[in-house]
Amino acid sequence: MFDSLKPALDYRTSPKNVSIQRAIELVARVSEPLLASDHPRLPRPELIQSMRTSLQLPNNRFRFFPAAWVSGFNGVGRETIVHEYNRDFVPNGHGVTIEVNEATLPRQLLLRIESEGFGVSQQRLEELQATIFESETHAIADTIERLVEAGNYLILRHGRIVEERIELPEWLDDVVNALVPATRSKLFIISQMPLPSERRVRCHERIETQRVPTIDAGALRTYCDQLIAHFDNHPERWTDDVVDQIVSAASGNIGFLVSLVRIASRVEDFDQLNTLISAVGAPMAEQMAVYVRWAFTELTEFPDEQRTLIFLNDVTPCDTSDLERVVKPRRPILRVLGKLLELGLVEREAENLYRLTPLLATKLNRELLRPELLDWQRKALIEFVDKPIEFETPDHEFLRIESRIQAALISGREQLPDNVARYVSAAHWFQAGIRLYHANRHEAANRLLKKAFEHRQEFVQSTRVEIIRYYCLSATRLRDYLEAEKCIALLGSDHRTNAMAAFLRGNLHESKGEYPDAIKCYEQALDPNQGRNSRLEHTYRPLIATILRMSRPDFRKAERYALAHVRLRRTIFSLKSLARVYLHWKYRGAEVGRDAPSDISQRCGNALDDLANHPGVDSAHFEICAEEAEFNGDPTRALAYMDQA
């Protein structure tokens, strides 16, 4: 064998004295595609046919809409449907998938397409960075046309900085309108949100929609049997009751079902299923909260896997060679990723590229907040930025550059190597600023958000609004009230953002301790936000908390808002708000002249029980118990509860 391989030495691309570590990396690059195991796919021919019919231009059987907006929840198989649909047109075609969000800028997307779609060199990336204007959209359309001519197609996946409800930038409409109808569609935008009507009007005869629904229990059960046969060497041990439990927990979501069956097939005793899933019939969000907590518990003895997760939480997606250098695992990185793939916590984006599973990522964020992990993360981010990039292959070059930009800004580094610094844009400042704000690192967040605020004209209207909102919130946290007032004035001058201005003014008054004014402003923000559940939730929480901070709270008003909050969504936050209202009414009512109802103890007890029984409760119940112990003048017991929290 070695004699046969000797001629290959004449064409070697690695140094002559290869280290063991380098040899492992080379072997990993060859073996990674071979190790990627797939599972049975759920055929959905009716959706493929529906997509083909809807994307075909009226009165022309050979022409299709150049763009498609494919919506549906994470995990229902949107991307799989797109790949299956394109197989009819280009059997050997490759779908280039790129994540975009509300802060993405045109030149940034162009560089990503050139890198992921054509594997251009770093030198070519530098040329494009220097010659293409930041707001150039026609260059993107031209690049998509070249991608299609090469027999491929582009998928833009609507990602999140914090949440996916923020619309994608309007300049994408210019890209869509610049594409010419042809014998197949060229661009597929995948989002949880349906296509906004204004966007449909702006892109008339250039974009069509397809909704990918969840699966009914009957179809999901049949598919569940296929997965069991694939994952379990002894499928006959699965009783009908166990299958029903798993199908019920999946709540019609294919991706979650695959994760549940994959793990359950490795469980020896099905009595353990109760620790894997919530009660039968519970909402999917609750099922996922329970599952993620269980999965993270399974990693207690696997520090390399935990470190990989927390790094991917900030730098995602990430190349395996970068992960290997940062995590420095005791086992090959593919073994580490294999464990996380098995638990459904990460997924393979492309060859040598991994990311947190979007379906579970928001639930996972809370489990990663461990002191020892956060200490390691801070050091790892700085070390990652300081190490020069080693481009062994032309794969994912721009993505790996952006990974270092992300890591540098989140770690607070001001200086970056020249070959990375030239690519930093207002989009990077904005994204990192939001992440830092939600991590309660307000000074660092404010520095970056201020830069984004000063360059807000580079963004479209919807993104400018978010920049102003976050800059205002960070300025308020730092008591820079003049800057916050400036932001509120900007939003208040536009009828579309009046409700947001009212909320931010309430937040400003609350920060100053001006509670009556804060309550008035929060109440002004409620009516315009009717029907926008996420905005209402974020308004109810501070409104109720501010009422309880008053010297003489109006408990009946607080109860009315807390019950409305619970009716809107039964979450930890809404149940905790209701429990706090009853707790304060019970212990402070008589003192402030607001007599409590005769059954206040029962109401308080019921609210605490509801909170304690919520699957995602974590520390909230203990926090309320600690507060009750304080009211009872028992600081020792209060501290004991806070230790549990």
Side-chain angles (χ1 to χ4, degrees):
M1 182 184 74
F2 290 107
D3 288 341
S4 301
L5 285 171
K6 276 180 183 176
L9 292 173
D10 296 334
Y11 306 97
R12 71 186 299 152
T13 57
S14 55
K16 287 191 176 181
N17 297 316
V18 180
S19 66
I20 293 293
Q21 184 60 35
R22 180 74 178 116
I24 290 171
E25 286 176 16
L26 290 169
V27 171
R29 282 197 173 273
V30 174
S31 63
E32 197 261 1
L34 306 176
L35 292 174
S37 63
D38 211 344
H39 55 78
R41 299 286 171 182
L42 176 63
R44 301 173 83 178
E46 73 289 347
L47 270 179
I48 304 294
Q49 185 54 46
S50 169
M51 185 181 280
R52 188 179 182 108
T53 304
S54 65
L55 293 187
Q56 195 165 341
L57 280 172
N59 307 318
N60 193 328
R61 59 198 178 96
F62 295 115
R63 284 284 183 270
F64 289 79
F65 283 92
W69 185 283
V70 184
S71 62
F73 294 119
N74 284 333
V76 296
R78 298 163 302 178
E79 202 168 322
T80 301
I81 293 291
V82 170
H83 290 305
E84 291 295 322
Y85 168 80
N86 278 283
R87 196 162 290 155
D88 291 343
F89 296 90
V90 276
N92 298 319
H94 173 56
V96 177
T97 304
I98 294 172
E99 193 157 298
V100 290
N101 57 45
E102 65 269 28
T104 303
L105 290 170
R107 184 170 60 197
Q108 186 184 17
L109 178 59
L110 176 71
L111 294 173
R112 287 177 181 174
I113 298 171
E114 289 284 354
S115 178
E116 295 300 308
F118 300 101
V120 297
S121 65
Q122 191 176 3
Q123 183 181 351
R124 177 61 179 154
L125 287 173
E126 289 174 10
E127 290 172 10
L128 290 168
Q129 174 74 11
T131 57
I132 299 294
F133 289 115
E134 185 68 273
S135 58
E136 181 64 70
T137 55
H138 276 276
I140 297 175
D142 293 341
T143 305
I144 294 173
E145 297 287 0
R146 285 196 292 118
L147 192 71
V148 172
E149 285 171 16
N152 300 316
Y153 51 96
L154 179 65
I155 299 173
L156 297 182
R157 188 171 47 222
H158 186 177
R160 64 183 180 87
I161 300 177
V162 177
E163 51 191 332
E164 288 172 43
R165 62 175 178 77
I166 309 297
E167 284 189 24
L168 291 174
E170 289 99 324
W171 58 258
L172 272 176
D173 299 342
D174 298 331
V175 174
V176 169
N177 285 325
L179 297 174
V180 180
T183 52
R184 63 185 175 94
S185 299
K186 305 168 182 180
L187 169 63
F188 298 82
I189 301 172
I190 292 176
S191 176
Q192 288 207 69
M193 298 170 59
L195 178 69
S197 55
E198 308 84 21
R199 188 155 244 156
R200 182 190 285 274
V201 171
R202 287 197 298 265
C203 302
H204 180 59
E205 292 198 348
R206 285 293 187 272
I207 194 165
E208 193 46 69
T209 62
Q210 177 69 47
R211 181 77 181 171
V212 180
T214 53
I215 306 295
D216 67 84
L220 208 62
R221 201 182 193 291
T222 305
Y223 179 52
C224 185
D225 289 339
Q226 288 180 272
L227 292 171
I228 291 166
H230 175 78
F231 287 121
D232 200 329
N233 292 329
H234 303 284
E236 63 281 352
R237 70 194 183 104
W238 288 68
T239 65
D240 288 343
D241 287 344
V242 171
V243 174
D244 287 340
Q245 265 186 284
I246 295 288
V247 170
S248 171
S251 303
N253 190 288
I254 301 169
F256 193 32
L257 179 73
V258 172
S259 294
L260 288 173
V261 175
R262 182 192 278 122
I263 290 302
S265 65
R266 289 163 171 73
V267 171
E268 287 185 22
D269 184 358
F270 281 137
D271 288 342
Q272 297 175 42
L273 277 182
N274 293 330
T275 61
L276 255 171
I277 58 178
S278 186
V280 174
M284 185 173 67
E286 294 182 13
Q287 301 284 8
M288 287 193 295
V290 171
Y291 176 79
V292 167
R293 197 174 307 129
W294 174 86
F296 203 76
T297 303
E298 289 291 295
L299 298 177
T300 304
E301 304 299 322
F302 294 90
D304 292 338
E305 280 76 355
Q306 291 186 36
R307 289 171 178 176
T308 302
L309 280 179
I310 198 167
F311 189 76
L312 283 174
N313 193 42
D314 277 332
V315 182
T316 194
C318 192
D319 188 274
T320 48
S321 56
D322 286 335
L323 280 173
E324 180 113 46
R325 291 189 182 97
V326 169
V327 177
K328 300 172 186 168
R330 294 165 298 177
R331 322 196 308 285
I333 192 66
L334 290 181
R335 293 277 299 280
V336 173
L337 289 165
K339 176 75 175 174
L340 297 173
L341 281 165
E342 181 183 297
L343 290 168
L345 300 177
V346 303
E347 62 184 44
R348 190 173 182 264
E349 174 103 328
E351 194 170 311
N352 298 312
L353 206 60
Y354 291 82
R355 63 170 179 156
L356 288 185
T357 304
L359 184 66
L360 301 174
T362 51
K363 301 283 183 284
L364 192 62
N365 286 347
R366 298 177 64 192
E367 300 301 322
L368 294 172
L369 298 179
R370 305 279 177 87
E372 70 281 3
L373 274 180
L374 293 172
D375 286 343
W376 175 86
Q377 176 205 33
R378 281 189 282 272
K379 295 171 188 169
L381 286 170
I382 293 170
E383 189 179 325
F384 178 58
V385 175
D386 287 342
K387 279 188 177 178
I389 310 176
E390 296 179 23
F391 291 118
E392 300 89 352
T393 69
D395 297 335
H396 319 306
E397 286 204 10
F398 186 64
L399 187 145
R400 295 180 68 192
I401 289 168
E402 286 204 302
S403 293
R404 277 152 180 83
I405 294 171
Q406 276 180 280
L409 295 178
I410 288 170
S411 66
R413 291 296 297 273
E414 298 292 334
Q415 296 297 320
L416 277 165
D418 287 342
N419 65 337
V420 173
R422 63 170 60 95
Y423 296 100
V424 178
S425 70
H428 297 118
W429 295 327
F430 180 39
Q431 291 176 71
I434 290 178
R435 296 297 301 273
L436 289 168
Y437 175 82
H438 282 278
N440 293 318
R441 293 170 59 191
H442 295 303
E443 287 189 16
N446 186 259
R447 282 199 304 273
L448 295 179
L449 290 168
K450 185 173 184 178
K451 288 183 180 181
F453 178 76
E454 289 166 350
H455 289 79
R456 64 187 182 280
Q457 295 308 319
E458 294 178 17
F459 297 91
V460 292
Q461 168 64 16
S462 58
T463 309
R464 281 202 297 270
V465 168
E466 289 301 303
I467 290 173
I468 296 168
R469 177 166 79 96
Y470 272 101
Y471 181 49
C472 180
L473 288 168
S474 72
T476 301
R477 294 291 173 277
L478 296 178
R479 302 190 180 282
D480 189 351
Y481 296 136
L482 287 177
E483 287 296 294
E485 289 280 7
K486 185 199 301 183
C487 295
I488 292 167
L490 283 171
L491 294 171
S493 63
D494 189 330
H495 71 92
R496 294 169 295 181
T497 51
N498 272 337
M500 188 181 290
F503 173 86
L504 292 171
R505 190 167 293 285
N507 186 255
L508 185 61
H509 284 305
E510 184 187 350
S511 177
K512 292 178 176 180
E514 300 163 352
Y515 300 136
D517 291 331
I519 292 167
K520 185 178 175 183
C521 290
Y522 284 139
E523 288 177 329
Q524 287 172 356
L526 288 176
D527 281 343
N529 280 322
Q530 292 302 320
R532 302 174 70 183
N533 291 0
S534 181
R535 287 270 186 242
L536 280 175
E537 280 188 87
H538 285 94
T539 307
Y540 278 132
R541 279 158 61 182
L543 171 55
I544 296 162
T546 306
I547 292 172
L548 295 181
R549 286 196 186 100
M550 296 280 287
S551 56
R552 292 187 73 248
D554 185 340
F555 291 113
R556 293 197 185 279
K557 180 190 279 190
E559 180 193 31
R560 188 169 71 249
Y561 287 135
L563 290 171
H565 192 184
V566 172
R567 283 195 298 272
L568 186 68
R569 267 188 76 194
R570 198 177 177 82
T571 64
I572 304 163
F573 302 110
S574 62
L575 292 171
K576 185 179 178 183
S577 291
L578 184 61
R580 287 194 76 234
V581 169
Y582 288 140
L583 189 69
H584 281 248
W585 203 352
K586 176 181 176 180
Y587 288 99
R588 294 174 60 197
E591 175 192 328
V592 299
R594 307 277 193 183
D595 289 339
S598 57
D599 64 343
I600 188 63
S601 294
Q602 185 179 347
R603 292 190 200 184
C604 191
N606 291 342
L608 279 169
D609 287 344
D610 287 344
L611 180 62
N613 292 326
H614 190 284
V617 62
D618 284 340
S619 65
H621 179 252
F622 296 122
E623 290 168 30
I624 298 293
C625 290
E627 199 168 352
E628 184 171 27
E630 282 189 87
F631 279 127
N632 286 319
D634 191 347
T636 305
R637 196 152 164 249
L639 282 170
Y641 277 125
M642 287 310 294
D643 282 339
Q644 288 179 280

